[in-house]
Amino acid sequence: MKKISVLLAFLLVFGVVFAASQPVEGKKFELSTGLSFLAYSYRPSGEPAGYSSKQSYFNIPVRFGWFFWKGLEFEPELMLTFYHSSYNDGAGYSYSYHETGDILSGNLLYNFKLNKSHFVPFVLAGFGFGNAIPYEDFAEKWESGAKTTTPNLGFGVKYLFGNTAALRLEYRYRNFRIKYTGEGAATEHVILNSVILGICLFF
């Protein structure tokens, strides 16, 4: 009986929060972008002093959201990835490589509007596909025509400036399924956890 009472109380509270939640008042659409950046370098022991191996990539999401019912928001997202790598063996050989990729996703958000607060917490779930690959050996896989799919799961918060703009901070979990052809064709799985900071405009 006690467990049932706790469950009913939870459902009641959740139902009230769900019913009371509202997106930004008077606004139906949200345009947002952001930035996520990763860089690392590698130098194994025993290599010459001039040896270096560096990789970096930017992720820039471009999103257009539609508040279609209370706090529910449908948000297509194009995630652009800009990759750069460089290598120097310390003995006269070096190279530099650039590549771009993209992932197109359809995400569903729920925004919780807190009374008399500038903060709007949200949760996110969706699915995406494209050719961006979130780890090393980009060149080989992109050139082979690699394809990726991934679920998108996350949560975050928007800090409102009036009802026209907001800062947006979120955590994103993605589990990439990477399928590529060519020599050594295979399917791989990569989990990527990232934090994205960006801005929103409402209209």
Side-chain angles (χ1 to χ4, degrees), residues 156-202:
V157 64
K158 302 169 187 176
Y159 182 80
L160 300 175
F161 297 97
N163 65 346
T164 59
L167 285 177
R168 173 169 166 163
L169 178 66
E170 67 185 278
Y171 160 79
R172 186 73 65 86
Y173 168 87
R174 287 176 287 173
N175 189 340
F176 286 86
R177 181 177 184 270
I178 305 166
K179 185 176 182 179
Y180 61 100
T181 57
E183 186 177 351
T187 298
E188 300 178 359
H189 295 270
V190 176
I191 293 176
L192 182 65
N193 297 280
S194 57
V195 174
I196 304 172
L197 178 64
I199 57 172
C200 311
L201 296 175
F202 304 102

Side-chain angles (χ1 to χ4, degrees), residues 27-98:
K27 307 297 182 179
K28 296 290 291 183
F29 303 102
E30 174 186 350
L31 180 64
S32 66
T33 188
L35 177 65
S36 175
F37 174 71
L38 172 67
Y40 67 92
S41 60
Y42 173 67
R43 182 183 175 187
S45 60
E47 295 292 342
Y51 178 95
S52 67
S53 177
K54 300 178 181 178
Q55 301 195 35
S56 64
Y57 62 88
F58 285 93
N59 286 318
I60 302 177
V62 179
R63 302 171 288 226
F64 183 80
W66 169 43
F67 299 102
F68 63 92
W69 186 75
K70 295 186 180 294
L72 279 172
E73 178 182 6
F74 176 63
E75 187 177 72
E77 173 188 77
L78 178 63
M79 182 77 74
L80 304 171
T81 297
F82 301 90
Y83 168 75
H84 173 74
S85 68
S86 63
Y87 172 80
N88 190 322
D89 67 359
Y93 174 76
S94 64
Y95 76 85
S96 180
Y97 180 81
H98 303 269

Side-chain angles (χ1 to χ4, degrees), residues 16-27 67 70-72 110-123 157-163 202:
V16 170
V17 171
F18 186 84
S21 298
Q22 297 289 338
V24 181
E25 292 185 11
K27 307 297 182 179
F67 299 102
K70 295 186 180 294
L72 279 172
Y110 191 79
N111 300 271
F112 299 89
K113 180 63 182 292
L114 306 178
N115 289 333
K116 298 180 181 180
S117 174
H118 292 285
F119 292 97
V120 179
F122 65 90
V123 292
V157 64
K158 302 169 187 176
Y159 182 80
L160 300 175
F161 297 97
N163 65 346
F202 304 102

Side-chain angles (χ1 to χ4, degrees), residues 62 76-79 102-106 127-131 150 152:
V62 179
E77 173 188 77
L78 178 63
M79 182 77 74
D102 57 78
I103 296 176
L104 180 63
S105 302
F127 189 82
F129 62 93
N131 68 348
T150 179
N152 289 314

